[in-house]
């Protein structure tokens, strides 16, 4: 799955596949813009046969509902991604800052969870 | 109108991805006619086409990622515009004085993807138009709409070259490129821009355009019409600005005219537009010694067009009819390709040229160009 996501992201952003590391931010490291996320979302939907609400791309990592849920989600991410360059992000992050956290790994994590959920829902 | 300087030319044709390559190929007598690779000619009479083979626009894009938002016409436009700007000595970068106007006959709507999206919908889904539209769009990439919008050539030229002046698009079929040049000259003459990249970019090598040509009989064996593609962009500049920076002036836009004909009245409209362009340039017919006619490709029009030019110009002017080999017909770009080649032609001793385009719908456009050997006569 990681290789498929890498190929999609690399092609959509016109970057070498080697640059799409697990922790590379699509926005901060790979130059993704809002239109690129629409493109990547569609390509992933087509590749994996699912429909993804736009806000779900990184749900499961950080719940943007309230400042408290954002803080809790970020604390969880910091523990799981200690090598991520957290210093380049604002000290107090808002929902608008969260897309900067989207990496190849967050996409893979979402897909794994989503496909497991779909398989469970479809099981007789 | 007051003459507007031409200070650079950019050209992409099936004979070369530059002005120099195209002129060399023409000089060697080469023809672009070949069997197509971009479109399946089965069912279209096994037509030959003039196709730009192995066209790669990437080297001309400052941001190659933008290529995924571009169709063929847009890529052709960006390449030709970049060449024209470079030839004019304009440095790429944020430039509030640089305008863009590109003419094209329209995109192909990414036909294969659209057909695929439509094929996946239940036949009776069209009864609910809202649901139908949503279903079609769900099957298309979100980038589809951005790619097929007709203003994308002008937009991407502006983005890639940092042109932040006025921006527009002309979509009048085969006359679009020449009318874009006319619009740009008007902007400069009116003081709305100092410099403008203006021209045409087009391709007939997509299912919609090809089918339209076939339906009009243009691909029949006796039609002598070679479907083609290409782009030509002229760097137009206010004379005072061009002289102030010591620019090399290739030629002058001396006059323009265009009109639309009622059904069956194309010949009379052509005559009227030719006369109007001469008036705008303050020329008499005797002064014209080159005519480039992009109307000759229209079925049944060759003889009438020939008579119109004969009555006005006699045998004083050399006439070049486009539509067939060696370059084929590049639809909305045909007129500007003719203009670029004429302006760059060092071997033909012309001083005043009239470039004419006609669209099968009845739109006619003409632009009068003066050679750079002399300043145009004062108005």
């Amino acid at each position: 799955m990681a290789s498929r996501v890498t190929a999609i992201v690399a092609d959509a952003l016109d970057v070498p596949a080697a640059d799409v590391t697990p922790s590379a931010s699509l926005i901060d490291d790979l130059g993704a813009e809002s239109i690129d996320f629409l493109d990547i979302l569609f390509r992933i939907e087509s590749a994996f046969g699912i429909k993804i609400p736009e806000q779900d791309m990184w749900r499961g990592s950080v719940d943007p509902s309230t400042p408290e849920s954002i803080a809790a989600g970020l604390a969880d991410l910091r523990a799981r991604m200690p090598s991520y360059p957290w210093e380049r992000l604002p000290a107090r992050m808002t929902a608008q800052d969260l897309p900067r956290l989207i990496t190849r790994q967050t996409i893979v994590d979402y897909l794994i969870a989503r496909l497991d959920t779909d398989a469970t829902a479809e099981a007789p | 109108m007051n003459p507007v300087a031409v200070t650079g030319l950019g050209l992409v044709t099936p004979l070369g991805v530059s002005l120099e390559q195209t002129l060399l190929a023409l000089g060697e007598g080469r023809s672009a006619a070949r069997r197509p690779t971009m479109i399946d000619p089965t069912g279209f009479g096994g037509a030959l086409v003039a196709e730009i083979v192995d066209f790669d626009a990437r080297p001309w894009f400052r941001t190659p990622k933008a290529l995924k938002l571009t169709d063929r016409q847009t890529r052709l436009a960006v390449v030709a515009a970049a060449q024209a700007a470079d030839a004019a000595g304009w440095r790429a970068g944020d430039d509030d004085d640089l305008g863009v106007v590109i003419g094209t006959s329209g995109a192909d709507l990414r036909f294969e993807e659209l057909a695929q999206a439509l094929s996946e919908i239940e036949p009776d889904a069209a009864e609910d138009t809202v649901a139908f539209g949503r279903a079609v769009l769900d099957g298309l990439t979100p980038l589809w709409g951005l790619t097929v919008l007709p203003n994308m050539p002008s937009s991407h030229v502006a983005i890639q070259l940092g042109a932040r002046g006025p921006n527009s698009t002309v979509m009048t079929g085969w006359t679009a490129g020449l009318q874009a040049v006319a619009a740009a000259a008007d902007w400069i003459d009116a003081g709305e821009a100092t410099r403008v990249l203006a021209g045409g970019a087009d391709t007939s090598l997509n299912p919609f355009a090809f089918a339209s040509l076939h339906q009009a009989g243009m691909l029949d064996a006796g039609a002598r019409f070679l479907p083609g593609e290409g782009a030509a962009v002229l760097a137009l500049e206010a004379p005072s600005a061009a002289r102030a920076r010591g620019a090399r002036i290739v030629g002058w836009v001396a006059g323009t005219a265009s009109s639309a004909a009622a059904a069956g009245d194309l010949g009379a409209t052509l005559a009227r537009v030719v006369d109007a362009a001469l008036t705008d340039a303050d020329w008499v017919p005797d002064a014209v010694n080159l005519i480039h006619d992009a109307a000759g490709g229209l079925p049944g029009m060759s003889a009438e067009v020939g008579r119109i030019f004969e009555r006005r110009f006699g045998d004083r002017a050399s006439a070049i009819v486009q539509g067939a080999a060696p370059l084929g017909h590049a639809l909305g770009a045909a007129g500007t390709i003719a203009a670029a080649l004429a302006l760059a032609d060092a071997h033909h001793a012309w001083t005043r040229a009239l470039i004419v385009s006609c669209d099968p719908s009845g739109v006619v456009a003409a632009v009068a160009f003066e050679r750079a050997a002399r300043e145009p006569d004062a108005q």
Side-chain angles (χ1 to χ4, degrees):
Chain A
M1 180 181 290
S3 62
R4 293 173 75 186
V5 172
T6 296
I8 287 172
V9 172
D11 191 49
L13 302 184
D14 195 50
V15 297
D19 289 358
V20 187
T21 61
S23 61
S25 164
L26 268 61
I27 292 177
D28 291 331
D29 297 312
L30 303 178
E33 299 165 282
S34 57
I35 194 169
D36 296 315
F37 282 100
L38 294 177
D39 182 19
I40 292 169
L41 197 72
F42 181 81
R43 293 182 193 227
I44 289 176
E45 288 178 341
S46 300
F48 293 94
I50 57 176
K51 296 298 289 182
I52 305 175
E54 188 177 335
Q55 68 274 14
D56 274 10
M57 180 64 77
W58 35 267
R59 188 175 292 282
S61 296
V62 181
D63 179 356
S65 304
T66 67
E68 292 74 26
S69 64
I70 291 175
L74 288 175
D76 176 64
L77 268 182
R78 285 178 185 271
R80 292 195 286 119
M81 298 165 56
S83 62
Y84 189 86
W86 294 99
E87 64 278 4
R88 68 184 178 187
L89 296 173
R92 287 184 180 278
M93 291 185 65
T94 66
Q96 283 70 36
D97 298 317
L98 293 179
R100 295 174 65 182
L101 294 172
I102 298 174
T103 65
R104 187 191 85 187
Q105 193 58 50
T106 61
I107 296 173
V108 170
D109 288 346
Y110 171 81
L111 287 171
I112 290 174
R114 172 62 188 275
L115 293 173
D116 280 347
T117 301
D118 289 356
T120 300
E122 291 173 7
Chain B
M1 65 173 283
N2 295 307
V4 170
V6 180
T7 55
L9 302 171
L11 186 67
V12 184
T13 75
L15 285 179
V17 189
S18 73
L19 180 64
E20 293 72 24
Q21 288 180 11
T22 300
L23 288 173
L24 180 64
L26 288 172
E28 292 176 349
R30 279 188 264 149
S31 170
R34 56 177 292 136
R35 294 193 63 76
T37 63
M38 286 174 57
I39 191 164
D40 182 358
T42 305
F44 294 120
L48 297 180
V49 302
E51 178 180 322
I52 303 171
V53 180
D54 297 329
F55 175 55
D56 181 11
R58 176 177 284 268
W60 282 272
F61 272 68
R62 276 196 303 175
T63 52
K65 186 175 69 170
L67 282 164
K68 69 179 179 181
L69 298 171
T70 63
D71 64 4
R72 187 88 165 170
Q73 289 91 317
T74 296
R75 298 178 187 199
L76 291 170
V78 169
V79 174
Q83 292 175 356
D86 186 59
W90 297 344
R91 186 167 302 188
D94 291 341
D95 190 337
D96 292 340
D97 263 346
L98 179 58
V100 178
V101 54
I102 301 296
T104 184
S105 63
D108 74 339
L109 301 182
R110 291 171 71 138
F111 177 80
E112 286 81 7
E113 293 174 47
L114 183 59
Q116 178 65 33
L118 288 168
S119 70
E120 295 170 354
I121 298 174
E122 293 296 322
D124 59 358
E127 293 178 6
D128 182 337
T129 52
V130 173
F132 176 76
R134 191 170 294 132
V136 172
L137 292 176
D138 278 350
L140 293 169
T141 169
L143 306 184
W144 178 82
L146 284 176
T147 310
V148 304
L149 289 172
N151 62 318
M152 285 300 103
S154 292
S155 296
H156 282 280
V157 167
I159 291 170
Q160 294 301 320
L161 299 183
R164 297 168 60 168
N167 191 294
S168 189
T169 295
V170 180
M171 277 192 73
T172 46
W174 298 6
T175 60
L178 279 189
Q179 287 186 287
V181 170
D186 284 344
W187 287 350
I188 292 174
D189 198 23
E192 295 174 11
T194 304
R195 288 166 289 119
V196 184
L197 291 163
D202 218 338
T203 181
S204 64
L205 306 184
N206 63 66
F208 283 132
F210 218 67
S212 297
L213 292 173
H214 180 251
Q215 197 169 37
M218 307 293 290
L219 305 184
D220 294 346
R224 297 186 66 239
F225 183 88
L226 183 65
E229 58 177 357
V233 174
L234 280 58
L236 301 185
E237 192 163 354
S240 57
R243 292 191 200 98
R245 68 182 183 95
R248 172 178 166 265
I249 296 175
V250 177
W252 301 88
V253 176
T256 71
S258 64
S259 186
D265 196 26
L266 184 58
T269 301
L270 172 63
R272 194 167 60 247
V273 169
V274 166
D275 292 341
L278 293 176
T279 298
D280 196 42
D282 200 23
W283 291 353
V284 293
D286 283 0
V288 177
N289 41 38
L290 176 67
I291 303 166
H292 199 295
D293 155 39
L298 293 173
M301 283 299 299
S302 295
E304 185 171 1
V305 171
R307 282 193 294 274
I308 291 169
F309 289 146
E310 172 70 23
R311 276 199 292 271
R312 278 159 182 74
F313 307 107
D315 59 0
R316 294 181 297 274
S318 304
I320 302 171
V321 178
Q322 192 174 68
L327 273 178
H329 199 298
L331 308 189
T336 47
I337 289 174
L341 289 173
L343 287 166
D345 182 5
H347 302 293
H348 198 291
W350 67 272
T351 54
R352 288 178 168 176
L354 194 66
I355 313 293
V356 181
S357 284
C358 295
D359 183 78
S361 67
V363 182
V364 182
V367 176
F369 289 93
E370 184 123 25
R371 203 67 171 250
R374 64 177 196 183
E375 289 275 337
D377 293 338
Q379 295 290 309

